[in-house]
Amino acid sequence: MGVHLITGAGSGIGAAVADKLAARGEELWLLARDARRAAQLRERHPEARTLVGDLDDPAKLSWAFGHQALPVELDSLLHIAGVVELGTVGETPVKAWQQQLNVNTVAPAEITRLLLPSLRLARGHVVFVNSGAGLRADPTWGSYAASKFAVRALADALRQEEHANGVRVTTVYPGRTATAMQVKVHQQEGKEYDPAKWIAPESVATAILTALDLPRDAEITVRPGQ
């Protein structure tokens, strides 16, 4: 039975991953923004442990984790939480840039730093759920894509730095997925949302579990199929 810490387990891809791992009897640690969200996660997964930490304020994560129990050994750290705010460069305020960079990039870097000792002990696996926007920046996607390009750099550097310590790093680049985030994107684009047109969160979750289950001599990068 593995030990897995998941961000973004409350909905979308993160919820699908948590459900699949729980069904296998794995030990889950779920990160929540606050105590209320942590209680909601425990209602869905009564056997799971929860941690509280605000991804939008990564400078305080070290303090928050220092006042909570952490897994001694960690088989996987799954960075799935994310936020998006569309807008042209000429219209995007600093607050939107900072929030996306904090939640999508800086917080994952800080959580990884704090949990590296546990990952090294278990020769664990770090998975970053990136985006097609981490490979290509389209109009109105500048700030979000910048945060995801940075995640790509973070993962690529970490993969080389931790290889000798036995820590694997996988990046997943899903295309548009039928999640609450995609609903928001469609609203901002002024388009009608049809979840049947997009990837099911369970399909991305299957790819993530496939990466976790690969033998130790393999690492994969998952990119959009369309």
Side-chain angles (χ1 to χ4, degrees), residues 6-226:
I6 306 171
T7 74
S11 64
I13 296 169
V17 169
D19 289 345
K20 287 180 178 292
L21 288 174
R24 296 184 354 174
E26 310 273 1
E27 180 179 330
L28 301 184
W29 290 66
L30 309 178
L31 183 69
R33 180 188 312 144
D34 52 39
R36 181 182 64 83
R37 295 292 289 273
Q40 292 173 346
L41 289 172
R42 287 194 297 271
E43 287 181 5
R44 181 165 180 161
H45 296 288
E47 303 302 319
R49 303 282 295 272
T50 55
L51 288 171
V52 174
D54 188 355
L55 300 183
D56 196 21
D57 195 356
K60 292 183 179 178
L61 287 170
S62 179
W63 179 90
F65 282 16
H67 290 77
Q68 300 172 83
L70 297 175
V72 176
E73 296 189 18
L74 188 59
D75 293 290
S76 81
L77 171 58
L78 306 167
H79 293 293
I80 306 177
V83 295
V84 62
E85 193 69 42
L86 301 189
T88 65
V89 173
E91 297 172 341
T92 303
V94 168
K95 183 177 180 180
W97 282 92
Q98 289 179 329
Q99 183 189 31
Q100 290 173 98
L101 287 166
N102 281 343
V103 174
N104 298 344
T105 310
V106 182
E110 176 67 351
I111 291 171
T112 301
R113 182 183 74 85
L114 295 171
L115 293 173
L116 265 178
S118 298
L119 287 160
R120 288 167 177 164
L121 278 176
R123 294 174 62 83
H125 200 154
V126 183
V127 176
F128 294 92
V129 175
N130 200 300
S131 166
L135 301 170
R136 180 190 66 256
D138 292 326
T140 75
W141 288 80
S143 57
Y144 179 74
S147 72
K148 290 299 188 176
F149 269 62
V151 171
R152 180 183 179 186
L154 166 62
D156 288 350
L158 182 70
R159 183 178 297 111
Q160 296 177 72
E161 292 167 0
E162 292 300 319
H163 181 78
N165 294 321
V167 176
R168 292 192 291 173
V169 178
T170 292
T171 299
V172 179
Y173 295 93
R176 293 202 181 200
T177 306
T179 65
M181 178 183 286
Q182 195 57 229
V183 174
K184 178 180 179 180
V185 166
H186 275 68
Q187 290 172 343
Q188 292 183 332
E189 291 177 328
K191 297 178 180 179
E192 183 178 347
Y193 174 68
D194 180 1
K197 293 182 177 180
W198 311 116
I199 305 170
E202 293 76 14
S203 297
V204 182
T206 297
I208 292 170
L209 265 66
T210 298
L212 293 179
D213 292 340
L214 280 173
R216 295 202 60 84
D217 61 352
E219 294 176 350
I220 65 172
T221 294
V222 181
R223 300 189 177 187
Q226 57 182 2

